[in-house]
Amino acid sequence: MLPGDLIARESAFDERTAQDLPAAWDCLGQVMDPEVPVVSVVDLGMVRDVEWVDDHIRVKVSPTYSGCPATELIEQLIAEALMEAGFRNPQIERVLAPAWTTDWITEQGREHLRAYGIAPPAGSGKRALIDAETPVITCPHCGSQDTEVVSQFGSTACKALYRCRSCQEPFDYFKCI
Ligand SMILES: [Zn+2]
């Protein structure tokens, strides 16, 4: 790298503008859910919008499971990550309606959950409200569908504890809402 490149990059970094919104999305893609450190807030579908207002960035964030104590921490992590990336005075706006649903978790997010040993939400959150039928949960370890619920509450209230009858491994299931 030439010395001039570094200077040019640093000065650009100091003056974040509306042109840098894609960089902000990249930055948010690195902010992980503190409870599931392999899934970013973007993959969780928590980031509703990123926009430029006057001289600063505004990020609209939908909390996941209502009353989840991690919400404030997540908002703080988002603000810190943006400031570290050169965005001054980031504004985090909490958006409650429409309410977040597990349907907003991206395909990439679901893959990361599975790789981490957590079964991603099965089916649609909206449908789960209508028919209370227990969905078939696939074991994230071996792929077997021969699983049983051990407890409706896993390591956190957002998850249920399951066990696989094929490989005998317990695993968390990310509940549908
Ligand atoms: Zn299994």
Side-chain angles (χ1 to χ4, degrees):
M1 191 196 296
L2 298 168
D5 288 345
L6 188 63
I7 293 161
R9 253 189 24 196
E10 276 179 354
S11 58
F13 199 72
D14 278 342
E15 295 160 38
R16 289 294 199 182
T17 67
Q19 308 303 313
D20 295 312
L21 289 182
W25 277 103
D26 289 345
C27 169
L28 295 171
Q30 307 297 317
V31 179
M32 299 296 151
D33 178 353
E35 285 180 356
V36 190
V38 291
V39 184
S40 75
V41 293
V42 174
D43 278 335
L44 274 175
M46 291 181 73
V47 180
R48 301 317 309 150
D49 204 6
V50 178
E51 53 192 13
W52 194 262
V53 187
D54 302 327
D55 62 345
H56 65 276
I57 192 166
R58 177 161 71 192
V59 179
K60 294 185 178 176
V61 176
S62 288
T64 55
Y65 299 88
S66 61
C68 204
T71 301
E72 273 179 29
L73 173 61
I74 289 172
E75 289 173 352
Q76 193 187 325
L77 292 173
I78 289 173
E80 280 170 8
L82 288 170
M83 284 189 281
E84 224 164 85
F87 291 94
R88 287 178 186 158
N89 305 317
Q91 182 190 352
I92 312 298
E93 190 180 304
R94 200 178 287 189
V95 181
L96 298 175
W100 179 86
T101 149
T102 44
D103 295 352
W104 293 354
I105 301 176
T106 64
E107 267 314 307
Q108 184 178 296
R110 286 162 202 268
E111 273 169 36
H112 288 169
L113 281 173
R114 225 173 275 130
Y116 189 60
I118 297 176
S124 157
K126 289 179 201 93
R127 215 181 51 207
L129 285 176
I130 297 163
D131 60 73
E133 208 174 292
T134 317
V136 175
I137 310 304
T138 305
C139 170
H141 303 298
C142 72
S144 166
Q145 293 194 333
D146 189 11
T147 58
E148 61 185 356
V149 64
V150 176
S151 162
Q152 281 301 332
F153 295 95
S155 56
T156 69
C158 328
K159 302 186 201 90
L161 184 63
Y162 272 71
R163 193 180 65 90
C164 175
R165 290 198 192 98
S166 294
C167 71
Q168 305 296 320
E169 289 291 325
F171 63 89
D172 272 338
Y173 166 58
F174 210 101
K175 285 188 216 170
C176 260
I177 58 166

